[in-house]
Amino acid sequence: MNVLVLGSGGREHALVWKLQQSPGVNTIYAAPGNAGTAGLATNLPLGVEDFEGIASAAIRHQIDLIIVGPEVPLVLGIRDYFTSRPELSHIGIVGPSKEAAQLEGSKAFAKAFMQRHGIPTAAYQSFGPEELEAGYAFLETLSPPYVLKADGLAAGKGVLILDSLEAAREELQAMLLEAKFGEASARVVIEEFLSGIELSCFVLTDGNSYKILPTAKDYKRIGEGDTGLNTGGMGAVSPVPFADPGLMEKVEERIIIPTIGGLKSEGIPFVGFIFLGLIRVGEDPYVIEYNVRMGDPETEVVVPRIDSDFLELMQATAQGRLSEVHLDIRPESAATVVMVSGGYPGSYEKGFPISGLEHPSDSVVFHAGTKGDGEGRVITSGGRVLAVTSFGEDFRKALEKSYERIARIEFQGAGYRKDIGFDL
Ligand code: AMP
Ligand code: GLY
């Protein structure tokens, strides 16, 4: 079986790393991949939005299964592209259709979906450019802080939380009338602020049956104590200690079952990973957001904890027979710490050589923004450079190992958060 993993981050390196442990795997391809995937797979120089290029590569390399890492190709309809072409329709795809991907691609769609299916989420209304006055009126009915969300994909930047009504009104106008987030903010969701602790839950589904994967918590801010600018994610732990069986039962009954059932009943069954961004308010879980893919860096702690044959899980998902396979999870905790380029998430330089990657240890160094320099060295090529994952009896012990491993890795300007898990 030949498998293609689409994407180029730590998430995709972790997926390739896990697949490579399955005896049924023949050749793994990554597109475009990074220096980490290059060690385990064949990197193909293709962009994730280049459906034609991906299709010709899939035929040329006799690919049987494609696992889609990031959201953009899903929202653009890569699944529909493959299933609608007879010469490609035999290829299994782990990733939802364009319509189902609207759960991430449109916050207004996701909110309306949750409302239709009684899934707990913050109260909201959505507004277009002609509805600015109605938006102002809705803001008046809420108490601060105010939550404004660009409807479309905005690379994780489209959510604003504002303390004053004045600021909320200004930002609403900038989003709706001045394209603050481009096309993405042509529609804006305004919602009630929920106060609680966040966690992420991942579900693998073939549209009928589902498996609940381990929970994780990520740390999005650049600075210690969750301060400073938002990043793609600076570290993660799994499982989340407060996600006890009582909470998870509520998540399954109130959120997972109605989500999968709701999609099926609306004729858009979901095939792939559902990433539930949740908040626990009191004892109850609410959905903050849906993503239609795995998280990054959450994948780097969730996937290594899966003990079952990963290829079998992926194939069963693509072929609609997930109920036939068993999911085993390693009992140990996992933690990952992300090493970033100096200056990230602002502007930063690339191209610095990375040393210490070969040092022996039981930690796994997943590559994110790395590439080969053509002379056998690995150099930095992105903001998030590496994600260093370790296992331990609890997340603190796992973290200690990741920090020890990081101490051996060097590149100019390297930074990382020393307080992952600080709030747990
Ligand atoms: P999102 O991109 O939807 O995950 O939102 C980014 C972050 O904004 C979330 O991780 C939360 O920390 C916060 N957030 C979003 N919606 C709300 C809400 N209704 N109440 C409180 N915090 C929220
Ligand atoms: N770590 C958050 C995300 O992948 O969206």
Side-chain angles (χ1 to χ4, degrees), residues 11 71 104 156 200 202 218-220 231-235 275 289 291 293-298 384:
R11 167 179 53 207
E71 63 278 15
E104 177 165 1
S200 301
F202 301 89
D218 83 333
Y219 291 82
K220 287 203 183 97
T231 71
M234 297 295 292
F275 165 166
E289 64 164 351
N291 294 307
R293 48 164 177 94
M294 285 299 291
D296 190 353
E298 293 91 330
R384 291 192 292 170

Side-chain angles (χ1 to χ4, degrees), residues 107 111 121-123 145-150 155-161 190-196 198 218 220-221 230 275 277-279 281 287-291:
K107 295 201 187 278
K111 295 296 283 192
T121 188
Y146 302 92
V147 183
L148 268 51
K149 300 186 172 184
K157 298 188 172 69
V159 176
L160 300 178
I161 298 187
I190 302 179
E191 65 181 42
E192 165 201 18
F193 181 84
L194 298 176
S195 186
E198 290 178 56
D218 83 333
K220 287 203 183 97
R221 303 295 196 90
N230 254 324
F275 165 166
L278 304 175
I279 187 163
V281 181
V287 177
I288 291 272
E289 64 164 351
Y290 285 110
N291 294 307

Side-chain angles (χ1 to χ4, degrees), residues 225-242:
D226 281 345
T227 54
L229 294 174
N230 254 324
T231 71
M234 297 295 292
V237 302
S238 174
V240 177
F242 65 81

Side-chain angles (χ1 to χ4, degrees), residues 75-91:
V75 171
L76 292 176
I78 192 164
R79 178 183 193 83
D80 312 66
Y81 183 93
F82 272 75
T83 51
S84 66
R85 284 177 173 63
E87 73 280 17
L88 303 171
S89 59
H90 64 284
I91 300 172

